[in-house]
Amino acid sequence: MIRAIHFLSVDAFRSQKLPGSTHFDMVHAPPGEAKLWFWCPCGCGALVGLRVGLKTKPAHSPSWEWRGSVENPTLAPSVNRQDCGWHGWLRGGYWELA
């Protein structure tokens, strides 16, 4: 498991580039949604953005349901990275392999 360390500052998030770390952008998203940015947990260095909805999956696909915590986020369904092959879950603030 890899801890999803949350960064409030987008600048700190982008400069640290820690695998699995996260930044939620709620400013540039529709009400009830956010953009979850994370560095791929596999360590490939990819910066990934997902559309997430607060306790509901947004209608536009692809999207994920987010339970609302930025410190210990949980998403549903699983995250499947086609580029590098990493597939797993973000549960309670930890990335877990499927």
Side-chain angles (χ1 to χ4, degrees), residues 17-96:
K17 298 182 181 179
L18 297 173
S21 63
T22 63
H23 172 74
F24 284 86
D25 180 358
M26 291 171 264
V27 174
H28 301 100
E33 293 185 17
K35 184 80 167 206
L36 166 60
W37 292 100
F38 67 93
W39 295 102
C40 186
C42 83
C44 70
L47 177 60
V48 183
L50 303 178
R51 178 188 303 226
V52 298
L54 182 57
K55 299 182 182 170
T56 185
K57 190 174 182 297
H60 303 296
S61 191
S63 63
W64 285 257
E65 177 184 341
W66 165 48
R67 303 281 163 73
S69 173
V70 295
E71 293 298 326
N72 297 301
T74 295
L75 297 181
S78 64
V79 176
N80 188 4
R81 295 256 311 118
Q82 304 265 333
D83 296 349
C84 65
W86 190 91
H87 179 217
W89 298 90
L90 178 56
R91 294 180 177 150
Y94 288 89
W95 295 97
E96 307 170 10

